[in-house]
Amino acid sequence: MVYPPTDISASEAEEQESVEIPCSGGARKSKLVTSGDTICFPYEDLKTAWDAVVRGHKLSGNGQCFGWRNFESSYSWITYGKFMKKAEDFGSGLEKIGLNPCPMSNVGIYAQNGIEWAIAQYGVWSRSSVVVPLYDTLGPDACTFIIKQAEIKIVICDKENKVRNLLKRKKETPLLQHIITTTTVNQELNTLASEKDIKLYTFNEIENLGEKYSTSVLPPQSSDAALICYTSGTTGVPKGVIMTHENLVSMCCAVNLALEKSSLTKEDTTLSYLPLAHIFGQFMHVWFLMIGARIGFFSGDINRLLEDIKILQPTVLPAVPRLLNKWYNKAQWLIRGKIGTDAYDENFISEASTISACKPFIDSLGGKLRIIISGGAPIYKNVVEFYTKIIGSKVLEIYGQTECAGPCSVNLLDSSYDGKYKNQHSPSSLAAS
């Protein structure tokens, strides 16, 4: 039996967030559209990822931009202005060794999160070219496939074994001409590179070349490709998702607007440890830079992550439920050891003694955390309650995918969350170009 369509009226949440478009047959638009026209760019000075760092430089007053651990107990920082200069020099250096500065040129980055990745990425963008992240989790064949399909001529690497793997597969990637390393490689690799007709450079050599033979910045257009992020797909070879600058920027703006009073400010700090080969990590970088906030890189060892967090003292921390669950279990162990009861029951959350029992764990999170961003999988109710009521942080639950250039739905949860999505806990759907 075929039933007629059900007449579904707009929910309370829809009425709060959107209005019906006249003569559209029921289509709705965000109430953020005050002029009646669709928003293309909420900020006139922010249309590309390159604009994001320029805007961040202005909003922060040339404040701290990226940081990294040089010593055991502190972070070193580079200002927005110095970072932009390094990126521009790196872009000029790429031009000097043969990069054609245009949206058809793809440059591979095969490295762990770090200041060199950021300089290289923005150096590529300063020449209107495209960044193609490479990573190990798909296997060595995947890197070869990506380099060949994307017609990559230049790859930036951070480790000798990655350089060696690329050199050994040169026959499968005939267009590859240059490898830039963030560390000095041994003579064996230099010899192998010469045999394979590949030119090896250090990262500093490219920067120095660019400083000596400086060329004008060629900023990208909003419609230009910014990233090609490859995903495993469900079957077969990796699939490349092309994202424009407009895609990245509009999604970052949409999330920031959706957060309203909890949106980012230039006073915020985050930790960069989620792989920049994936969209979650990329989204966090563009989002923080466009506000003029700070990004500190982890030490490179995931086992020292809590140590990095304690030193950096982030205000916003991206994570996945698996990691949040691990930390939650660690806190439970502390609670059981000090107050002699299981911490599985939600009743423990209202106990003042719980906070005292968890103090070592709370201190390990730096003491300034105001938002934890959870994505990649659902998060349990008791875990949310622990972080909101004991740690004192809001939890921003996000759902998204690479093809959306990040989140497509966000839900900001606080200590009033009871496991049900209602009223202020209704997820916000995001629309981005």
Side-chain angles (χ1 to χ4, degrees):
M1 179 181 294
V2 178
Y3 294 94
T6 303
D7 183 15
I8 302 176
S9 59
S11 67
E12 182 182 349
E14 284 179 324
E15 291 294 348
Q16 291 174 353
E17 298 178 2
S18 62
V19 294
E20 186 171 333
I21 301 172
C23 305
S24 66
R28 305 182 68 83
K29 64 181 179 182
S30 170
K31 282 188 175 179
L32 295 172
V33 185
T34 56
S35 65
D37 298 325
T38 302
I39 294 176
C40 290
F41 299 100
Y43 312 105
E44 281 302 312
D45 60 346
L46 182 58
K47 298 182 179 180
T48 69
W50 179 256
D51 290 342
V53 73
V54 174
R55 186 174 189 267
H57 175 262
K58 179 180 177 180
L59 292 179
S60 69
N62 192 29
Q64 294 175 338
C65 182
F66 285 105
W68 59 94
R69 283 183 67 181
N70 267 345
F71 305 100
E72 285 299 306
S73 59
S74 65
Y75 267 76
S76 298
W77 293 91
I78 185 173
T79 64
Y80 272 83
K82 191 170 182 181
F83 170 74
M84 290 171 64
K85 175 66 166 59
K86 282 182 166 291
E88 290 170 10
D89 286 344
F90 194 83
S92 294
L94 291 177
E95 272 198 73
K96 183 63 179 176
I97 66 171
L99 175 70
N100 180 19
C102 72
M104 301 303 293
S105 294
N106 300 328
V107 177
I109 304 182
Y110 193 13
Q112 196 174 48
N113 295 27
I115 185 61
E116 291 86 0
W117 180 305
I119 291 170
Q121 179 156 316
Y122 274 84
V124 172
W125 283 345
S126 76
R127 266 57 195 172
S128 292
S129 298
V130 184
V131 172
V132 184
L134 305 170
Y135 55 111
D136 293 317
T137 53
L138 294 180
D141 292 339
C143 285
T144 302
F145 172 82
I146 293 169
I147 292 170
K148 185 175 181 180
Q149 186 184 65
E151 298 182 347
I152 293 172
K153 297 179 181 179
I154 302 172
V155 174
I156 296 101
C157 287
D158 64 346
K159 294 180 180 177
E160 283 193 353
N161 66 308
K162 294 177 181 177
V163 176
R164 184 177 291 104
N165 289 339
L166 294 179
L167 291 175
K168 287 183 176 179
R169 291 172 171 261
K170 176 60 171 67
K171 279 188 178 181
E172 302 166 64
T173 56
L175 293 179
L176 182 61
Q177 299 173 0
H178 309 279
I179 297 177
I180 302 166
T181 66
T182 60
T183 57
T184 304
V185 297
N186 58 36
Q187 186 55 46
E188 171 219 342
L189 288 182
N190 278 292
T191 301
L192 183 59
S194 180
E195 293 172 356
K196 300 290 185 179
D197 198 24
I198 293 282
K199 294 182 179 178
L200 279 184
Y201 303 88
T202 66
F203 199 89
N204 289 338
E205 283 177 332
I206 299 299
E207 270 196 79
N208 293 336
L209 269 177
E211 188 174 21
K212 184 176 180 181
Y213 301 100
S214 180
T215 57
S216 299
V217 171
L218 183 63
Q221 300 297 308
S222 61
S223 59
D224 290 342
L227 288 170
I228 303 178
C229 282
Y230 277 81
T231 65
S232 60
T234 51
T235 59
V237 296
K239 317 298 189 298
V241 178
I242 302 174
M243 281 166 281
T244 66
H245 286 271
E246 183 178 14
N247 294 149
L248 291 172
V249 167
S250 61
M251 186 54 70
C252 292
C253 290
V255 172
N256 211 50
L257 289 169
L259 289 182
E260 298 179 336
K261 293 181 180 179
S262 296
S263 61
L264 294 188
T265 74
K266 66 180 181 180
E267 308 302 326
D268 278 308
T269 302
T270 193
L271 181 69
S272 175
Y273 71 97
L274 296 177
L276 289 169
H278 301 300
I279 191 58
F280 197 172
Q282 289 285 345
F283 160 78
M284 291 295 298
H285 273 214
V286 177
W287 185 21
F288 267 72
L289 292 175
M290 78 180 204
I291 300 298
R294 306 193 311 169
I295 300 170
F297 290 105
F298 82 126
S299 59
D301 183 354
I302 200 69
N303 294 317
R304 299 179 67 183
L305 195 59
L306 281 175
E307 184 181 313
D308 295 330
I309 293 170
K310 185 175 183 179
I311 294 171
L312 181 64
Q313 297 182 315
T315 59
V316 179
L317 183 68
V320 294
R322 181 178 178 183
L323 181 60
L324 295 176
N325 293 344
K326 179 181 178 182
W327 292 345
Y328 170 71
N329 290 335
K330 179 179 180 180
Q332 286 183 328
W333 180 83
L334 287 172
I335 294 165
R336 288 194 298 270
K338 291 198 173 184
I339 63 178
T341 184
D342 285 341
Y344 300 110
D345 195 317
E346 61 184 31
N347 293 328
F348 86 96
I349 293 175
S350 61
E351 296 288 337
S353 57
T354 303
I355 296 177
S356 176
C358 280
K359 193 174 186 309
F361 174 73
I362 294 172
D363 290 344
S364 73
L365 295 180
K368 296 183 179 180
L369 203 56
R370 71 182 186 92
I371 298 177
I372 294 172
I373 304 174
S374 175
I379 185 170
Y380 292 117
K381 170 179 172 286
N382 58 327
V383 177
V384 172
E385 290 185 328
F386 170 76
Y387 285 103
T388 56
K389 295 180 180 180
I390 301 302
I391 304 302
S393 169
K394 293 181 179 179
V395 173
L396 180 65
E397 190 175 20
I398 65 173
Y399 172 80
Q401 57 188 6
T402 307
E403 291 81 355
C404 289
C408 60
S409 177
V410 299
N411 192 23
L412 187 62
L413 307 172
D414 57 24
S415 58
S416 65
Y417 176 65
D418 62 0
K420 299 177 181 178
Y421 295 112
K422 59 183 179 180
N423 300 328
Q424 73 268 32
H425 295 135
S426 297
S428 297
S429 296
L430 305 175
S433 300

